[in-house]
């Protein structure tokens, strides 16, 4: 340990300086205001829990990607949360088990992973989301997609597009229209996910080939999917997707990629990924899923989404807005200063004669009871 | 691991259900709004860091009370933050080393300890605070005390009282007016802190006895302290306390306890503890201190405070406000619903015929484009 080490942060962990912190606060506030306006009540969960309770309520949570350590009090394994959805599912199944359904909840906070994703070394991210517990209907899915779009737009994202998928597509088709030996299901899924036509044929999934072409802008892709579904096995799903697209099509560009499965391991019939202009990674994803109930109770259907707005925070932080700060000279009238704050000024009080209003970022100075531009 | 364990949280860790989460959001928003109105810019730091950087920048941070574990990437010891002040000090000394002084920063977030304090088993708390970096003057101290009071009042606390202390009192007196052998300084400090007159005499600190009586309401206690300070060693500190009390005396009840030191281990000449009606524990504390600079730079004076508003959150969560939620029946007009939200309604859209507006907590129902009371 060198003395300079006290200045360092671990790889993948960083601070937010004022502009970034302002932007992050803005995104969270605006998102929660939108959520609340649609009846979604905020809940909060601890930053650490028993590893098992973070991992066991939903499929697809990867325990080995979490920071894990022994609790000196219980001597059991704790983990830093890597996903707040599992925590909200726990709250819905325990503390809010008896609240009326559908139950609308929202959340935001930091989540941590021991290693970043691929090329992105970030190990702590902001997660913001909403969950509609008690329903995975088309109406629930449409409300959730619309809410995600509205929250992102209100936070400052532009050019939103949403990519729909059918996460349990292979299970559905394999069960009825296009039977697959159990030994081949996983391979067919993987080749579809990889968009690998040759691999799909090799895996014995040639019947699934048309799915690779039912992708792109929603209007045309859904027609291709419908044409492929000669036996009508997907009819209710296709009708559902059309209804959701109908409701949100004027708010975002909609695309379809029915066999996309990566990241939707715990989703059931419907999933979506959301993108915004100028941001190369996805802004988040969502869909329908099942929540394991309190022990002895049945699982519950649910629909929700998680956004990871850090890239949007960076974009907003770079848009330097007008800064209106009012310098209060030594000996200023405290009552006048309070009235200036009440009408929206941010004030900076001089502590000594050495304080320079311009260096301190002030745009105005209080003189004779008035804000005078510097 | 029993199956039911997925429902459990570790001792001292808990969720916030909607009313609590609303109250916590309210307190944080209002506090940051007050901070911003006084020119304090928010910063954010990661929830985990190298143990050494959390511990080495300020005295008094107890490493053994932190959750610590090895980072699988760097193979070095990380810790969950137990105090955000040390993180803000690091930011001031590194990322904002070249920002003009005085530098006004604010923060809020969760901090965690492996064991609760005394009778309180809570292991995760909300910390909210502000730091004025570059000054520990009387003007800085007055601004910081005033800011803490204003933030707590805006958040909904009532009957605020502030207890002033002089954390380095024994060092100051021992150096000049009342010399003590080095071997006795710690014992004298402890007996003063314990308000133990007999122990103080036994420790050889009989000259310090009058300090035990210079406590209570500020106006009388400061007179006793001034009378005790026959050599004027404390004159500048007494004048400083009077100036601060003068500025904030109309906003809170002020008391003095000059020899209180518990919790002020890293404070220099001035410290304060803040209380509110109906809350038995303190709401937080603050004072003047030194920040170790970036390696090769000098330490900087600073003044700040940390609030721990969880008990206030509980009080506010119990004050059930009027809930105005508007039920949107199936087939409602989306444009009318959006306009209702724009004028402040929180809406709850029916997903099916089974949805009961009253069970879902709605106070009104949209009928013919109007909100009708249920």
């Amino acid at each position: 340990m060198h003395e300079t080490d006290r200045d360092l942060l671990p790889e993948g962990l960083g601070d937010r300086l004022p502009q970034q912190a302002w932007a992050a606060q803005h995104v969270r506030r605006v998102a929660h205001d939108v959520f609340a306006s649609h009846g979604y009540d905020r809940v909060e969960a601890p930053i650490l829990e028993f590893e098992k309770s973070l991992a066991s309520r939903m499929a697809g949570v990867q325990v080995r990607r979490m920071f894990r350590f022994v609790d000196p009090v219980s001597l059991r394994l704790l983990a830093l949360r890597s996903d707040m959805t599992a925590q909200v599912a726990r709250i819905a199944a325990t503390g809010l088990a008896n609240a009326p359904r559908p139950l609308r909840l929202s959340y935001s906070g930091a989540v941590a992973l021991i290693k970043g994703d691929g090329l992105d070394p970030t190990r702590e991210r902001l997660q913001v989301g909403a969950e509609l517990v008690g329903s995975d209907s088309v109406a629930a899915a449409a409300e959730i997609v619309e809410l995600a779009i509205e929250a992102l737009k209100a936070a400052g994202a532009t050019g939103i597009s949403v990519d729909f998928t059918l996460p349990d597509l292979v299970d559905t088709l394999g069960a009825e229209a296009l039977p697959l030996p159990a030994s081949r299901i996983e391979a067919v899924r993987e080749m579809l996910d990889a968009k690998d036509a040759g691999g799909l044929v090799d895996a014995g999934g040639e019947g699934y080939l048309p799915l690779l072409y039912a992708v792109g802008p929603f209007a045309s892709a859904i027609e291709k999917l419908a044409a492929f579904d000669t036996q009508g096995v997907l009819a209710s799903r296709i009708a559902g997707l059309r209804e959701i697209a109908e409701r949100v099509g004027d708010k975002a560009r909609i695309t379809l990629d029915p066999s996309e499965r990566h990241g939707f391991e715990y989703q059931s019939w419907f999933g979506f990924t959301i993108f915004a202009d100028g941001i190369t990674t996805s802004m988040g994803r969502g869909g329908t899923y099942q929540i394991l109930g309190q022990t002895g109770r049945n699982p519950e259907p649910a629909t929700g989404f998680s956004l990871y707005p850090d890239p949007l925070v960076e974009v907003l932080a770079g848009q330097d807005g007008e800064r209106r700060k009012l310098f209060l000279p030594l000996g200023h009238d405290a009552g006048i200063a309070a009235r200036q704050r009440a009408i929206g000024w941010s004030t900076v009080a001089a502590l000594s004669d050495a304080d320079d209003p311009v260096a301190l970022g002030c745009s105005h100075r209080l003189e004779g009871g008035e804000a005078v531009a510097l």
Side-chain angles (χ1 to χ4, degrees), chain A:
Chain A
M1 186 79 195
H2 299 285
E3 200 194 343
T4 51
D5 286 3
R6 71 168 190 243
D7 297 342
L8 297 178
L9 280 177
E11 184 187 327
L13 298 172
D15 299 317
R16 289 197 215 270
L17 299 186
Q19 284 188 303
Q20 278 81 21
W22 171 84
Q25 172 179 291
H26 168 77
V27 167
R28 288 178 73 173
R29 284 189 178 195
V30 163
H32 279 291
D33 286 345
V34 168
F35 300 159
S37 79
H38 286 270
Y40 286 73
D41 288 328
R42 186 169 183 168
V43 290
E44 291 188 23
I47 53 175
L48 69 170
E49 289 199 21
F50 290 129
E51 176 212 46
K52 299 258 169 153
S53 48
L54 285 171
S56 67
R57 189 150 323 258
M58 289 162 70
V61 175
Q62 295 176 301
V63 169
R64 63 187 165 71
R65 297 192 64 196
M66 296 182 192
F67 283 102
R68 287 176 291 171
F69 42 92
V70 172
D71 179 4
V73 172
S74 65
L75 301 180
R76 288 175 50 191
L77 208 53
L78 301 182
L80 284 190
R81 64 186 180 201
S82 62
D83 176 19
M84 296 180 70
T85 310
Q87 296 189 300
V88 175
R90 178 181 50 68
I91 292 173
T94 59
L96 296 175
N98 298 316
R101 267 50 175 172
L103 177 64
R104 290 170 169 88
L105 301 175
S106 70
Y107 61 88
S108 68
V111 293
L113 289 173
I114 57 172
K115 281 199 180 184
D117 258 330
L119 292 174
D120 179 4
T122 308
R123 299 202 280 169
E124 182 181 324
R125 292 196 293 176
L126 175 60
Q127 184 179 5
V128 176
E131 309 294 331
L132 210 177
V133 179
S135 180
D136 60 359
S137 68
V138 171
E143 177 172 313
I144 280 293
V145 174
E146 203 168 6
L147 188 66
I149 295 169
E150 187 176 333
L152 277 178
K153 283 189 176 177
T158 56
I160 309 275
S161 68
V162 184
D163 192 31
F164 290 174
T165 184
L166 293 172
D168 65 0
L169 183 67
V170 172
D171 301 309
T172 308
L173 290 170
E176 301 185 51
L178 290 166
L180 285 170
S183 62
R184 298 216 160 157
I185 292 177
E186 200 44 45
V188 166
R189 277 193 190 130
E190 278 172 24
M191 293 304 129
L192 280 170
D193 217 14
K195 310 270 183 287
D196 181 341
L200 188 57
V201 173
D202 293 346
E206 49 281 297
Y208 289 77
L209 271 176
L211 289 175
L212 295 185
Y213 305 99
V215 299
F218 185 80
S220 55
I222 197 74
E223 292 303 333
K224 289 180 191 154
L225 185 63
F228 161 78
D229 183 38
T230 48
Q231 298 181 44
V233 173
L234 302 177
S236 68
R237 285 171 170 71
I238 290 170
L241 291 179
R242 287 190 201 272
E243 196 176 326
I244 302 167
E246 171 75 23
R247 186 147 142 204
V248 301
D250 60 336
K251 301 176 181 77
R253 200 169 67 91
I254 310 297
T255 56
L256 178 66
D257 185 352
S259 65
E260 174 77 17
R261 234 181 105 255
H262 177 71
F264 294 99
E265 290 79 3
Y266 67 81
Q267 250 78 19
S268 54
W269 75 271
F270 174 68
F272 67 99
T273 311
I274 189 159
F275 299 89
D277 270 358
I279 292 166
T280 50
T281 54
S282 81
M283 292 297 308
R285 61 168 69 95
T288 57
Y289 61 100
Q290 294 275 317
I291 295 178
L292 290 180
Q294 207 166 5
T295 307
R297 295 194 187 218
N298 290 330
E300 272 196 290
T303 312
F305 65 85
S306 293
L307 303 175
Y308 297 93
D310 287 289
L312 177 62
V313 167
E314 288 305 312
V315 169
L316 296 175
Q319 294 167 359
D320 200 8
E322 190 194 9
R323 281 174 85 81
R324 284 167 57 88
K325 278 195 175 181
L326 176 62
F327 184 76
L328 306 174
L330 284 178
H332 67 269
D333 183 303
I336 292 175
R339 285 197 292 279
Q340 298 291 340
R341 283 190 293 274
I343 61 169
W345 281 101
S346 172
T347 62
V348 174
L351 298 178
S352 78
D353 282 327
D355 289 356
D356 174 358
V358 174
L360 293 173
C362 294
S363 58
H364 291 68
R365 175 190 172 95
L366 189 67
E367 272 178 35
E370 301 283 325
V372 178
L374 283 168

